[in-house]
Amino acid sequence: MNIIVSEEIENVCPDFVGAAVEAEVVNSEYDAGLWAEISTLGDKYRAEYTTESIKSIPGIKATRRVYRACGKDPSRYRPAAEALIRRVLQGKDLYQINTLVDLVNLASMAYGYSIGGFDADKFAGDTLTLGVGREGEPYEGIGRGTLNIAGLPVYRDAIGGVGTPTSDNERTKICMDTHRVLILVNGYDGHERSVKANAEYLVELFDKYACGRNCRYFIYR
C-alpha cells in the first residue's frame, strides 16, 4: 500500500509521522490473555490519570490540536485513543469486538495514538491519501452511522474515506473472516521513536494473539 500525506495535513501538522503495519493474521472472537493485558493497562490508567489529565498525553494532545486546526471540536468528536481511555477511567467496560479489533484498541491505549485498523483486502486501489474531510462527504462510521467528517483528518482510497482518528469506516472494517490487515499509527505529535515503538508493539500482539505472519511496518510522512 502506498500512503500519501497531503499538503492539507502538512500545513496543520508539519511534523506528522505515521507507521503502517501489515500482517497476515487469524482472527478469533475472544482471547483471555489479551483481555488480561487490557485489564492490567486499565488498572494502570485508573491509578495514574483522570479524564482531564489524559489530554496531556502527547499523542492525544497533538491529535486534539490538529482537530482544532482543521476546524473540529475534539471534545465533541473525540480521538479514539482518548475515548477508549476515558471509558476505562469512567469505570465502564471496553466493548469486546473480536481479537484483532481488541488488540488494536489495546495498542492505541498503550501509546495514546489513534490507530486505524483495516481489512487490507477491502481497499479500492493501492494508494491511501491522508487529507481533511469536506462538508457533505459521505462516511459511515463503524457503529455510528453517517458521520460528519468535515474538518477531521481522513484517509481516502480510490472510492472515498476509510479512516479518521475518531472512527474507521464500515466499508473497510476488520471482521471475523479478515486474513490480512493494515494498521495505521497516527503520530500527530511527530515523535518517530514512539510511533515506531507502537508499531513494534502491534507486531508483538499479532504474533501473540493472532498467529501473525509476514508482519512488517514502515514509516511514512
mmCIF file with all atom_site columns, all heavy atoms in Angstrom, residues 6-10 12 66-67 69-72 129-135 137 149-156 164 188:
data_model
loop_
_atom_site.group_PDB
_atom_site.id
_atom_site.type_symbol
_atom_site.label_atom_id
_atom_site.label_alt_id
_atom_site.label_comp_id
_atom_site.label_asym_id
_atom_site.label_entity_id
_atom_site.label_seq_id
_atom_site.pdbx_PDB_ins_code
_atom_site.Cartn_x
_atom_site.Cartn_y
_atom_site.Cartn_z
_atom_site.occupancy
_atom_site.B_iso_or_equiv
_atom_site.pdbx_formal_charge
_atom_site.auth_seq_id
_atom_site.auth_comp_id
_atom_site.auth_asym_id
_atom_site.auth_atom_id
_atom_site.pdbx_PDB_model_num
ATOM 1   N N   . SER A 1 6   ? -1.115  14.483 2.479  1.00 0.00 ? 6   SER A N   1
ATOM 2   C CA  . SER A 1 6   ? -1.438  15.634 1.643  1.00 0.00 ? 6   SER A CA  1
ATOM 3   C C   . SER A 1 6   ? -0.884  16.931 2.216  1.00 0.00 ? 6   SER A C   1
ATOM 4   O O   . SER A 1 6   ? -0.527  17.031 3.396  1.00 0.00 ? 6   SER A O   1
ATOM 5   C CB  . SER A 1 6   ? -2.953  15.764 1.488  1.00 0.00 ? 6   SER A CB  1
ATOM 6   O OG  . SER A 1 6   ? -3.524  16.232 2.702  1.00 0.00 ? 6   SER A OG  1
ATOM 7   N N   . GLU A 1 7   ? -0.857  17.954 1.363  1.00 0.00 ? 7   GLU A N   1
ATOM 8   C CA  . GLU A 1 7   ? -0.430  19.283 1.789  1.00 0.00 ? 7   GLU A CA  1
ATOM 9   C C   . GLU A 1 7   ? -1.372  19.841 2.854  1.00 0.00 ? 7   GLU A C   1
ATOM 10  O O   . GLU A 1 7   ? -0.945  20.601 3.730  1.00 0.00 ? 7   GLU A O   1
ATOM 11  C CB  . GLU A 1 7   ? -0.381  20.219 0.580  1.00 0.00 ? 7   GLU A CB  1
ATOM 12  C CG  . GLU A 1 7   ? 0.204   21.584 0.870  1.00 0.00 ? 7   GLU A CG  1
ATOM 13  C CD  . GLU A 1 7   ? 0.356   22.435 -0.383 1.00 0.00 ? 7   GLU A CD  1
ATOM 14  O OE1 . GLU A 1 7   ? 0.362   21.861 -1.483 1.00 0.00 ? 7   GLU A OE1 1
ATOM 15  O OE2 . GLU A 1 7   ? 0.453   23.679 -0.243 1.00 0.00 ? 7   GLU A OE2 1
ATOM 16  N N   . GLU A 1 8   ? -2.651  19.467 2.797  1.00 0.00 ? 8   GLU A N   1
ATOM 17  C CA  . GLU A 1 8   ? -3.615  19.911 3.805  1.00 0.00 ? 8   GLU A CA  1
ATOM 18  C C   . GLU A 1 8   ? -3.149  19.532 5.213  1.00 0.00 ? 8   GLU A C   1
ATOM 19  O O   . GLU A 1 8   ? -3.253  20.324 6.151  1.00 0.00 ? 8   GLU A O   1
ATOM 20  C CB  . GLU A 1 8   ? -4.981  19.260 3.565  1.00 0.00 ? 8   GLU A CB  1
ATOM 21  C CG  . GLU A 1 8   ? -5.758  19.764 2.377  1.00 0.00 ? 8   GLU A CG  1
ATOM 22  C CD  . GLU A 1 8   ? -7.062  19.014 2.232  1.00 0.00 ? 8   GLU A CD  1
ATOM 23  O OE1 . GLU A 1 8   ? -7.023  17.764 2.108  1.00 0.00 ? 8   GLU A OE1 1
ATOM 24  O OE2 . GLU A 1 8   ? -8.125  19.669 2.264  1.00 0.00 ? 8   GLU A OE2 1
ATOM 25  N N   . ILE A 1 9   ? -2.669  18.292 5.352  1.00 0.00 ? 9   ILE A N   1
ATOM 26  C CA  . ILE A 1 9   ? -2.189  17.825 6.659  1.00 0.00 ? 9   ILE A CA  1
ATOM 27  C C   . ILE A 1 9   ? -0.838  18.439 6.987  1.00 0.00 ? 9   ILE A C   1
ATOM 28  O O   . ILE A 1 9   ? -0.584  18.854 8.135  1.00 0.00 ? 9   ILE A O   1
ATOM 29  C CB  . ILE A 1 9   ? -2.114  16.287 6.687  1.00 0.00 ? 9   ILE A CB  1
ATOM 30  C CG1 . ILE A 1 9   ? -3.505  15.684 6.564  1.00 0.00 ? 9   ILE A CG1 1
ATOM 31  C CG2 . ILE A 1 9   ? -1.431  15.800 7.969  1.00 0.00 ? 9   ILE A CG2 1
ATOM 32  C CD1 . ILE A 1 9   ? -4.456  16.027 7.709  1.00 0.00 ? 9   ILE A CD1 1
ATOM 33  N N   . GLU A 1 10  ? 0.041   18.534 6.011  1.00 0.00 ? 10  GLU A N   1
ATOM 34  C CA  . GLU A 1 10  ? 1.361   19.123 6.254  1.00 0.00 ? 10  GLU A CA  1
ATOM 35  C C   . GLU A 1 10  ? 1.225   20.561 6.752  1.00 0.00 ? 10  GLU A C   1
ATOM 36  O O   . GLU A 1 10  ? 2.021   21.018 7.578  1.00 0.00 ? 10  GLU A O   1
ATOM 37  C CB  . GLU A 1 10  ? 2.194   19.084 4.974  1.00 0.00 ? 10  GLU A CB  1
ATOM 38  C CG  . GLU A 1 10  ? 2.616   17.675 4.579  1.00 0.00 ? 10  GLU A CG  1
ATOM 39  C CD  . GLU A 1 10  ? 3.404   17.649 3.281  1.00 0.00 ? 10  GLU A CD  1
ATOM 40  O OE1 . GLU A 1 10  ? 3.449   18.706 2.597  1.00 0.00 ? 10  GLU A OE1 1
ATOM 41  O OE2 . GLU A 1 10  ? 3.963   16.589 2.951  1.00 0.00 ? 10  GLU A OE2 1
ATOM 42  N N   . VAL A 1 12  ? -1.146  21.851 8.660  1.00 0.00 ? 12  VAL A N   1
ATOM 43  C CA  . VAL A 1 12  ? -1.578  21.932 10.060 1.00 0.00 ? 12  VAL A CA  1
ATOM 44  C C   . VAL A 1 12  ? -0.699  21.109 10.983 1.00 0.00 ? 12  VAL A C   1
ATOM 45  O O   . VAL A 1 12  ? -0.715  21.295 12.205 1.00 0.00 ? 12  VAL A O   1
ATOM 46  C CB  . VAL A 1 12  ? -3.057  21.498 10.222 1.00 0.00 ? 12  VAL A CB  1
ATOM 47  C CG1 . VAL A 1 12  ? -3.976  22.455 9.480  1.00 0.00 ? 12  VAL A CG1 1
ATOM 48  C CG2 . VAL A 1 12  ? -3.267  20.065 9.776  1.00 0.00 ? 12  VAL A CG2 1
ATOM 49  N N   . VAL A 1 66  ? -4.600  19.162 16.283 1.00 0.00 ? 66  VAL A N   1
ATOM 50  C CA  . VAL A 1 66  ? -4.826  19.100 14.836 1.00 0.00 ? 66  VAL A CA  1
ATOM 51  C C   . VAL A 1 66  ? -6.318  19.182 14.520 1.00 0.00 ? 66  VAL A C   1
ATOM 52  O O   . VAL A 1 66  ? -6.728  19.813 13.538 1.00 0.00 ? 66  VAL A O   1
ATOM 53  C CB  . VAL A 1 66  ? -4.189  17.820 14.256 1.00 0.00 ? 66  VAL A CB  1
ATOM 54  C CG1 . VAL A 1 66  ? -4.644  17.574 12.826 1.00 0.00 ? 66  VAL A CG1 1
ATOM 55  C CG2 . VAL A 1 66  ? -2.668  17.937 14.308 1.00 0.00 ? 66  VAL A CG2 1
ATOM 56  N N   . TYR A 1 67  ? -7.161  18.564 15.353 1.00 0.00 ? 67  TYR A N   1
ATOM 57  C CA  . TYR A 1 67  ? -8.604  18.689 15.160 1.00 0.00 ? 67  TYR A CA  1
ATOM 58  C C   . TYR A 1 67  ? -9.005  20.167 15.151 1.00 0.00 ? 67  TYR A C   1
ATOM 59  O O   . TYR A 1 67  ? -9.744  20.612 14.274 1.00 0.00 ? 67  TYR A O   1
ATOM 60  C CB  . TYR A 1 67  ? -9.353  17.972 16.287 1.00 0.00 ? 67  TYR A CB  1
ATOM 61  C CG  . TYR A 1 67  ? -9.640  16.502 16.036 1.00 0.00 ? 67  TYR A CG  1
ATOM 62  C CD1 . TYR A 1 67  ? -8.733  15.694 15.364 1.00 0.00 ? 67  TYR A CD1 1
ATOM 63  C CD2 . TYR A 1 67  ? -10.815 15.935 16.488 1.00 0.00 ? 67  TYR A CD2 1
ATOM 64  C CE1 . TYR A 1 67  ? -8.999  14.358 15.153 1.00 0.00 ? 67  TYR A CE1 1
ATOM 65  C CE2 . TYR A 1 67  ? -11.100 14.585 16.286 1.00 0.00 ? 67  TYR A CE2 1
ATOM 66  C CZ  . TYR A 1 67  ? -10.184 13.806 15.615 1.00 0.00 ? 67  TYR A CZ  1
ATOM 67  O OH  . TYR A 1 67  ? -10.454 12.480 15.398 1.00 0.00 ? 67  TYR A OH  1
ATOM 68  N N   . ALA A 1 69  ? -7.141  22.750 14.559 1.00 0.00 ? 69  ALA A N   1
ATOM 69  C CA  . ALA A 1 69  ? -6.554  23.428 13.402 1.00 0.00 ? 69  ALA A CA  1
ATOM 70  C C   . ALA A 1 69  ? -7.339  23.142 12.128 1.00 0.00 ? 69  ALA A C   1
ATOM 71  O O   . ALA A 1 69  ? -7.398  23.978 11.223 1.00 0.00 ? 69  ALA A O   1
ATOM 72  C CB  . ALA A 1 69  ? -5.093  23.005 13.233 1.00 0.00 ? 69  ALA A CB  1
ATOM 73  N N   . CYS A 1 70  ? -7.957  21.958 12.071 1.00 0.00 ? 70  CYS A N   1
ATOM 74  C CA  . CYS A 1 70  ? -8.749  21.580 10.900 1.00 0.00 ? 70  CYS A CA  1
ATOM 75  C C   . CYS A 1 70  ? -10.196 22.052 11.010 1.00 0.00 ? 70  CYS A C   1
ATOM 76  O O   . CYS A 1 70  ? -10.971 21.919 10.057 1.00 0.00 ? 70  CYS A O   1
ATOM 77  C CB  . CYS A 1 70  ? -8.729  20.062 10.718 1.00 0.00 ? 70  CYS A CB  1
ATOM 78  S SG  . CYS A 1 70  ? -7.138  19.383 10.221 1.00 0.00 ? 70  CYS A SG  1
ATOM 79  N N   . GLY A 1 71  ? -10.577 22.565 12.193 1.00 0.00 ? 71  GLY A N   1
ATOM 80  C CA  . GLY A 1 71  ? -11.917 23.102 12.372 1.00 0.00 ? 71  GLY A CA  1
ATOM 81  C C   . GLY A 1 71  ? -12.897 22.180 13.069 1.00 0.00 ? 71  GLY A C   1
ATOM 82  O O   . GLY A 1 71  ? -14.115 22.376 12.971 1.00 0.00 ? 71  GLY A O   1
ATOM 83  N N   . LYS A 1 72  ? -12.391 21.191 13.817 1.00 0.00 ? 72  LYS A N   1
ATOM 84  C CA  . LYS A 1 72  ? -13.270 20.244 14.503 1.00 0.00 ? 72  LYS A CA  1
ATOM 85  C C   . LYS A 1 72  ? -13.091 20.350 16.013 1.00 0.00 ? 72  LYS A C   1
ATOM 86  O O   . LYS A 1 72  ? -11.976 20.548 16.503 1.00 0.00 ? 72  LYS A O   1
ATOM 87  C CB  . LYS A 1 72  ? -12.937 18.809 14.052 1.00 0.00 ? 72  LYS A CB  1
ATOM 88  C CG  . LYS A 1 72  ? -14.120 17.855 14.098 1.00 0.00 ? 72  LYS A CG  1
ATOM 89  C CD  . LYS A 1 72  ? -15.151 18.210 13.059 1.00 0.00 ? 72  LYS A CD  1
ATOM 90  C CE  . LYS A 1 72  ? -16.159 17.100 12.865 1.00 0.00 ? 72  LYS A CE  1
ATOM 91  N NZ  . LYS A 1 72  ? -17.174 17.461 11.851 1.00 0.00 ? 72  LYS A NZ  1
ATOM 92  N N   . THR A 1 129 ? -4.552  8.249  0.764  1.00 0.00 ? 129 THR A N   1
ATOM 93  C CA  . THR A 1 129 ? -4.110  9.637  0.910  1.00 0.00 ? 129 THR A CA  1
ATOM 94  C C   . THR A 1 129 ? -4.717  10.218 2.182  1.00 0.00 ? 129 THR A C   1
ATOM 95  O O   . THR A 1 129 ? -5.929  10.145 2.388  1.00 0.00 ? 129 THR A O   1
ATOM 96  C CB  . THR A 1 129 ? -4.536  10.485 -0.296 1.00 0.00 ? 129 THR A CB  1
ATOM 97  O OG1 . THR A 1 129 ? -3.969  9.917  -1.492 1.00 0.00 ? 129 THR A OG1 1
ATOM 98  C CG2 . THR A 1 129 ? -4.045  11.921 -0.143 1.00 0.00 ? 129 THR A CG2 1
ATOM 99  N N   . LEU A 1 130 ? -3.863  10.791 3.022  1.00 0.00 ? 130 LEU A N   1
ATOM 100 C CA  . LEU A 1 130 ? -4.328  11.416 4.262  1.00 0.00 ? 130 LEU A CA  1
ATOM 101 C C   . LEU A 1 130 ? -4.607  12.884 3.995  1.00 0.00 ? 130 LEU A C   1
ATOM 102 O O   . LEU A 1 130 ? -3.698  13.650 3.652  1.00 0.00 ? 130 LEU A O   1
ATOM 103 C CB  . LEU A 1 130 ? -3.268  11.271 5.355  1.00 0.00 ? 130 LEU A CB  1
ATOM 104 C CG  . LEU A 1 130 ? -3.569  11.952 6.698  1.00 0.00 ? 130 LEU A CG  1
ATOM 105 C CD1 . LEU A 1 130 ? -4.861  11.434 7.308  1.00 0.00 ? 130 LEU A CD1 1
ATOM 106 C CD2 . LEU A 1 130 ? -2.403  11.762 7.669  1.00 0.00 ? 130 LEU A CD2 1
ATOM 107 N N   . GLY A 1 131 ? -5.877  13.260 4.106  1.00 0.00 ? 131 GLY A N   1
ATOM 108 C CA  . GLY A 1 131 ? -6.274  14.645 3.892  1.00 0.00 ? 131 GLY A CA  1
ATOM 109 C C   . GLY A 1 131 ? -7.215  15.112 4.989  1.00 0.00 ? 131 GLY A C   1
ATOM 110 O O   . GLY A 1 131 ? -7.176  14.614 6.114  1.00 0.00 ? 131 GLY A O   1
ATOM 111 N N   . VAL A 1 132 ? -8.085  16.055 4.657  1.00 0.00 ? 132 VAL A N   1
ATOM 112 C CA  . VAL A 1 132 ? -9.047  16.609 5.611  1.00 0.00 ? 132 VAL A CA  1
ATOM 113 C C   . VAL A 1 132 ? -10.452 16.451 5.038  1.00 0.00 ? 132 VAL A C   1
ATOM 114 O O   . VAL A 1 132 ? -10.681 16.707 3.851  1.00 0.00 ? 132 VAL A O   1
ATOM 115 C CB  . VAL A 1 132 ? -8.753  18.097 5.898  1.00 0.00 ? 132 VAL A CB  1
ATOM 116 C CG1 . VAL A 1 132 ? -9.787  18.678 6.864  1.00 0.00 ? 132 VAL A CG1 1
ATOM 117 C CG2 . VAL A 1 132 ? -7.345  18.255 6.470  1.00 0.00 ? 132 VAL A CG2 1
ATOM 118 N N   . GLY A 1 133 ? -11.393 16.015 5.879  1.00 0.00 ? 133 GLY A N   1
ATOM 119 C CA  . GLY A 1 133 ? -12.758 15.786 5.440  1.00 0.00 ? 133 GLY A CA  1
ATOM 120 C C   . GLY A 1 133 ? -13.441 17.064 4.965  1.00 0.00 ? 133 GLY A C   1
ATOM 121 O O   . GLY A 1 133 ? -13.168 18.155 5.474  1.00 0.00 ? 133 GLY A O   1
ATOM 122 N N   . ARG A 1 134 ? -14.355 16.894 3.996  1.00 0.00 ? 134 ARG A N   1
ATOM 123 C CA  . ARG A 1 134 ? -15.071 18.023 3.414  1.00 0.00 ? 134 ARG A CA  1
ATOM 124 C C   . ARG A 1 134 ? -16.544 18.004 3.816  1.00 0.00 ? 134 ARG A C   1
ATOM 125 O O   . ARG A 1 134 ? -17.097 16.949 4.148  1.00 0.00 ? 134 ARG A O   1
ATOM 126 C CB  . ARG A 1 134 ? -14.950 17.979 1.887  1.00 0.00 ? 134 ARG A CB  1
ATOM 127 C CG  . ARG A 1 134 ? -13.513 18.085 1.381  1.00 0.00 ? 134 ARG A CG  1
ATOM 128 C CD  . ARG A 1 134 ? -13.485 18.062 -0.134 1.00 0.00 ? 134 ARG A CD  1
ATOM 129 N NE  . ARG A 1 134 ? -13.795 16.758 -0.667 1.00 0.00 ? 134 ARG A NE  1
ATOM 130 C CZ  . ARG A 1 134 ? -12.892 15.839 -1.004 1.00 0.00 ? 134 ARG A CZ  1
ATOM 131 N NH1 . ARG A 1 134 ? -11.592 16.103 -0.834 1.00 0.00 ? 134 ARG A NH1 1
ATOM 132 N NH2 . ARG A 1 134 ? -13.254 14.678 -1.498 1.00 0.00 ? 134 ARG A NH2 1
ATOM 133 N N   . GLU A 1 135 ? -17.181 19.137 3.766  1.00 0.00 ? 135 GLU A N   1
ATOM 134 C CA  . GLU A 1 135 ? -18.606 19.243 4.070  1.00 0.00 ? 135 GLU A CA  1
ATOM 135 C C   . GLU A 1 135 ? -19.409 18.347 3.113  1.00 0.00 ? 135 GLU A C   1
ATOM 136 O O   . GLU A 1 135 ? -19.195 18.360 1.906  1.00 0.00 ? 135 GLU A O   1
ATOM 137 C CB  . GLU A 1 135 ? -19.092 20.683 3.923  1.00 0.00 ? 135 GLU A CB  1
ATOM 138 C CG  . GLU A 1 135 ? -18.615 21.624 5.011  1.00 0.00 ? 135 GLU A CG  1
ATOM 139 C CD  . GLU A 1 135 ? -19.215 21.320 6.376  1.00 0.00 ? 135 GLU A CD  1
ATOM 140 O OE1 . GLU A 1 135 ? -20.237 20.589 6.430  1.00 0.00 ? 135 GLU A OE1 1
ATOM 141 O OE2 . GLU A 1 135 ? -18.658 21.807 7.380  1.00 0.00 ? 135 GLU A OE2 1
ATOM 142 N N   . GLU A 1 137 ? -19.248 15.195 2.735  1.00 0.00 ? 137 GLU A N   1
ATOM 143 C CA  . GLU A 1 137 ? -18.558 13.999 2.245  1.00 0.00 ? 137 GLU A CA  1
ATOM 144 C C   . GLU A 1 137 ? -19.170 12.760 2.891  1.00 0.00 ? 137 GLU A C   1
ATOM 145 O O   . GLU A 1 137 ? -19.266 12.674 4.118  1.00 0.00 ? 137 GLU A O   1
ATOM 146 C CB  . GLU A 1 137 ? -17.066 14.085 2.573  1.00 0.00 ? 137 GLU A CB  1
ATOM 147 C CG  . GLU A 1 137 ? -16.245 12.928 2.026  1.00 0.00 ? 137 GLU A CG  1
ATOM 148 C CD  . GLU A 1 137 ? -14.746 13.151 2.160  1.00 0.00 ? 137 GLU A CD  1
ATOM 149 O OE1 . GLU A 1 137 ? -14.334 14.211 2.688  1.00 0.00 ? 137 GLU A OE1 1
ATOM 150 O OE2 . GLU A 1 137 ? -13.992 12.274 1.728  1.00 0.00 ? 137 GLU A OE2 1
ATOM 151 N N   . ILE A 1 149 ? -17.574 14.127 8.757  1.00 0.00 ? 149 ILE A N   1
ATOM 152 C CA  . ILE A 1 149 ? -16.111 14.136 8.865  1.00 0.00 ? 149 ILE A CA  1
ATOM 153 C C   . ILE A 1 149 ? -15.494 15.450 8.400  1.00 0.00 ? 149 ILE A C   1
ATOM 154 O O   . ILE A 1 149 ? -14.265 15.544 8.322  1.00 0.00 ? 149 ILE A O   1
ATOM 155 C CB  . ILE A 1 149 ? -15.483 12.956 8.102  1.00 0.00 ? 149 ILE A CB  1
ATOM 156 C CG1 . ILE A 1 149 ? -15.733 13.076 6.593  1.00 0.00 ? 149 ILE A CG1 1
ATOM 157 C CG2 . ILE A 1 149 ? -15.993 11.631 8.653  1.00 0.00 ? 149 ILE A CG2 1
ATOM 158 C CD1 . ILE A 1 149 ? -14.894 12.097 5.771  1.00 0.00 ? 149 ILE A CD1 1
ATOM 159 N N   . ALA A 1 150 ? -16.308 16.449 8.109  1.00 0.00 ? 150 ALA A N   1
ATOM 160 C CA  . ALA A 1 150 ? -15.754 17.753 7.728  1.00 0.00 ? 150 ALA A CA  1
ATOM 161 C C   . ALA A 1 150 ? -14.840 18.259 8.832  1.00 0.00 ? 150 ALA A C   1
ATOM 162 O O   . ALA A 1 150 ? -15.231 18.334 9.996  1.00 0.00 ? 150 ALA A O   1
ATOM 163 C CB  . ALA A 1 150 ? -16.879 18.753 7.477  1.00 0.00 ? 150 ALA A CB  1
ATOM 164 N N   . GLY A 1 151 ? -13.594 18.577 8.471  1.00 0.00 ? 151 GLY A N   1
ATOM 165 C CA  . GLY A 1 151 ? -12.645 19.072 9.466  1.00 0.00 ? 151 GLY A CA  1
ATOM 166 C C   . GLY A 1 151 ? -11.905 17.988 10.223 1.00 0.00 ? 151 GLY A C   1
ATOM 167 O O   . GLY A 1 151 ? -11.119 18.303 11.107 1.00 0.00 ? 151 GLY A O   1
ATOM 168 N N   . LEU A 1 152 ? -12.143 16.730 9.888  1.00 0.00 ? 152 LEU A N   1
ATOM 169 C CA  . LEU A 1 152 ? -11.400 15.631 10.507 1.00 0.00 ? 152 LEU A CA  1
ATOM 170 C C   . LEU A 1 152 ? -10.299 15.150 9.551  1.00 0.00 ? 152 LEU A C   1
ATOM 171 O O   . LEU A 1 152 ? -10.526 15.075 8.337  1.00 0.00 ? 152 LEU A O   1
ATOM 172 C CB  . LEU A 1 152 ? -12.315 14.437 10.804 1.00 0.00 ? 152 LEU A CB  1
ATOM 173 C CG  . LEU A 1 152 ? -13.267 14.517 11.986 1.00 0.00 ? 152 LEU A CG  1
ATOM 174 C CD1 . LEU A 1 152 ? -14.107 13.249 12.065 1.00 0.00 ? 152 LEU A CD1 1
ATOM 175 C CD2 . LEU A 1 152 ? -12.507 14.722 13.295 1.00 0.00 ? 152 LEU A CD2 1
ATOM 176 N N   . PRO A 1 153 ? -9.125  14.804 10.072 1.00 0.00 ? 153 PRO A N   1
ATOM 177 C CA  . PRO A 1 153 ? -8.164  14.113 9.221  1.00 0.00 ? 153 PRO A CA  1
ATOM 178 C C   . PRO A 1 153 ? -8.791  12.812 8.717  1.00 0.00 ? 153 PRO A C   1
ATOM 179 O O   . PRO A 1 153 ? -9.446  12.105 9.483  1.00 0.00 ? 153 PRO A O   1
ATOM 180 C CB  . PRO A 1 153 ? -6.988  13.827 10.166 1.00 0.00 ? 153 PRO A CB  1
ATOM 181 C CG  . PRO A 1 153 ? -7.141  14.813 11.288 1.00 0.00 ? 153 PRO A CG  1
ATOM 182 C CD  . PRO A 1 153 ? -8.630  14.988 11.445 1.00 0.00 ? 153 PRO A CD  1
ATOM 183 N N   . VAL A 1 154 ? -8.599  12.496 7.435  1.00 0.00 ? 154 VAL A N   1
ATOM 184 C CA  . VAL A 1 154 ? -9.229  11.302 6.877  1.00 0.00 ? 154 VAL A CA  1
ATOM 185 C C   . VAL A 1 154 ? -8.329  10.657 5.830  1.00 0.00 ? 154 VAL A C   1
ATOM 186 O O   . VAL A 1 154 ? -7.730  11.346 4.997  1.00 0.00 ? 154 VAL A O   1
ATOM 187 C CB  . VAL A 1 154 ? -10.613 11.640 6.267  1.00 0.00 ? 154 VAL A CB  1
ATOM 188 C CG1 . VAL A 1 154 ? -10.510 12.697 5.173  1.00 0.00 ? 154 VAL A CG1 1
ATOM 189 C CG2 . VAL A 1 154 ? -11.289 10.380 5.725  1.00 0.00 ? 154 VAL A CG2 1
ATOM 190 N N   . TYR A 1 155 ? -8.216  9.337  5.907  1.00 0.00 ? 155 TYR A N   1
ATOM 191 C CA  . TYR A 1 155 ? -7.556  8.565  4.858  1.00 0.00 ? 155 TYR A CA  1
ATOM 192 C C   . TYR A 1 155 ? -8.599  8.210  3.808  1.00 0.00 ? 155 TYR A C   1
ATOM 193 O O   . TYR A 1 155 ? -9.699  7.764  4.141  1.00 0.00 ? 155 TYR A O   1
ATOM 194 C CB  . TYR A 1 155 ? -6.954  7.276  5.416  1.00 0.00 ? 155 TYR A CB  1
ATOM 195 C CG  . TYR A 1 155 ? -5.727  7.475  6.268  1.00 0.00 ? 155 TYR A CG  1
ATOM 196 C CD1 . TYR A 1 155 ? -5.824  7.567  7.654  1.00 0.00 ? 155 TYR A CD1 1
ATOM 197 C CD2 . TYR A 1 155 ? -4.455  7.544  5.699  1.00 0.00 ? 155 TYR A CD2 1
ATOM 198 C CE1 . TYR A 1 155 ? -4.701  7.740  8.446  1.00 0.00 ? 155 TYR A CE1 1
ATOM 199 C CE2 . TYR A 1 155 ? -3.320  7.719  6.482  1.00 0.00 ? 155 TYR A CE2 1
ATOM 200 C CZ  . TYR A 1 155 ? -3.457  7.811  7.848  1.00 0.00 ? 155 TYR A CZ  1
ATOM 201 O OH  . TYR A 1 155 ? -2.334  7.982  8.626  1.00 0.00 ? 155 TYR A OH  1
ATOM 202 N N   . ARG A 1 156 ? -8.234  8.385  2.527  1.00 0.00 ? 156 ARG A N   1
ATOM 203 C CA  . ARG A 1 156 ? -9.131  8.033  1.426  1.00 0.00 ? 156 ARG A CA  1
ATOM 204 C C   . ARG A 1 156 ? -8.451  7.037  0.497  1.00 0.00 ? 156 ARG A C   1
ATOM 205 O O   . ARG A 1 156 ? -7.251  7.181  0.197  1.00 0.00 ? 156 ARG A O   1
ATOM 206 C CB  . ARG A 1 156 ? -9.518  9.273  0.628  1.00 0.00 ? 156 ARG A CB  1
ATOM 207 C CG  . ARG A 1 156 ? -10.269 10.353 1.413  1.00 0.00 ? 156 ARG A CG  1
ATOM 208 C CD  . ARG A 1 156 ? -10.658 11.498 0.487  1.00 0.00 ? 156 ARG A CD  1
ATOM 209 N NE  . ARG A 1 156 ? -11.364 12.570 1.179  1.00 0.00 ? 156 ARG A NE  1
ATOM 210 C CZ  . ARG A 1 156 ? -10.774 13.671 1.651  1.00 0.00 ? 156 ARG A CZ  1
ATOM 211 N NH1 . ARG A 1 156 ? -9.457  13.811 1.528  1.00 0.00 ? 156 ARG A NH1 1
ATOM 212 N NH2 . ARG A 1 156 ? -11.486 14.618 2.249  1.00 0.00 ? 156 ARG A NH2 1
ATOM 213 N N   . THR A 1 164 ? -10.735 7.813  10.043 1.00 0.00 ? 164 THR A N   1
ATOM 214 C CA  . THR A 1 164 ? -10.428 9.059  10.737 1.00 0.00 ? 164 THR A CA  1
ATOM 215 C C   . THR A 1 164 ? -9.959  8.694  12.148 1.00 0.00 ? 164 THR A C   1
ATOM 216 O O   . THR A 1 164 ? -10.196 7.573  12.605 1.00 0.00 ? 164 THR A O   1
ATOM 217 C CB  . THR A 1 164 ? -11.657 9.983  10.861 1.00 0.00 ? 164 THR A CB  1
ATOM 218 O OG1 . THR A 1 164 ? -12.533 9.475  11.885 1.00 0.00 ? 164 THR A OG1 1
ATOM 219 C CG2 . THR A 1 164 ? -12.419 10.095 9.537  1.00 0.00 ? 164 THR A CG2 1
ATOM 220 N N   . TYR A 1 188 ? 0.581   12.476 15.314 1.00 0.00 ? 188 TYR A N   1
ATOM 221 C CA  . TYR A 1 188 ? 0.472   13.921 15.106 1.00 0.00 ? 188 TYR A CA  1
ATOM 222 C C   . TYR A 1 188 ? 1.399   14.703 16.031 1.00 0.00 ? 188 TYR A C   1
ATOM 223 O O   . TYR A 1 188 ? 1.573   15.906 15.861 1.00 0.00 ? 188 TYR A O   1
ATOM 224 C CB  . TYR A 1 188 ? -0.981  14.370 15.289 1.00 0.00 ? 188 TYR A CB  1
ATOM 225 C CG  . TYR A 1 188 ? -1.871  13.894 14.171 1.00 0.00 ? 188 TYR A CG  1
ATOM 226 C CD1 . TYR A 1 188 ? -2.667  12.758 14.323 1.00 0.00 ? 188 TYR A CD1 1
ATOM 227 C CD2 . TYR A 1 188 ? -1.883  14.545 12.948 1.00 0.00 ? 188 TYR A CD2 1
ATOM 228 C CE1 . TYR A 1 188 ? -3.463  12.298 13.276 1.00 0.00 ? 188 TYR A CE1 1
ATOM 229 C CE2 . TYR A 1 188 ? -2.674  14.091 11.896 1.00 0.00 ? 188 TYR A CE2 1
ATOM 230 C CZ  . TYR A 1 188 ? -3.457  12.973 12.077 1.00 0.00 ? 188 TYR A CZ  1
ATOM 231 O OH  . TYR A 1 188 ? -4.227  12.514 11.030 1.00 0.00 ? 188 TYR A OH  1
#
